[in-house]
Amino acid sequence: MIGDRMDTDVISGMESGMSTVLVLSGISTRETLKEYAYRPSVVLDGVGDIVKIANGDKESATVK
């Protein structure tokens, strides 16, 4: 599950048994992560990093 909100996208993905990707180009920030006891599988700075990773360019993608 890929999404930009911890309280909807990430939690619903986790509850469905999926790996989760939080994209920080939306509503959630790195500070938002501190508000929740759960964590996404991957945190990306922007949606462009999804394409970089899909194309095998993991070095230029910002994965946290």
Side-chain angles (χ1 to χ4, degrees):
M1 169 71 84
I2 299 171
D4 65 355
R5 293 185 64 116
M6 287 289 291
D7 59 343
T8 56
D9 304 326
V10 173
I11 192 67
S12 65
M14 292 176 70
E15 289 176 347
S16 298
M18 297 181 205
S19 295
T20 56
V21 178
L22 177 66
V23 181
L24 298 176
S25 56
I27 189 113
S28 294
T29 65
R30 293 205 186 279
E31 286 297 311
T32 305
L33 289 169
K34 297 175 185 176
E35 299 173 15
Y36 298 93
Y38 54 91
R39 295 287 178 266
S41 306
V42 176
V43 178
L44 300 176
D45 282 333
V47 294
D49 288 341
I50 297 168
V51 176
K52 291 175 187 175
I53 290 172
N55 289 331
D57 188 7
K58 294 178 183 172
E59 290 183 23
S60 67
T62 307
V63 179
K64 303 290 181 201

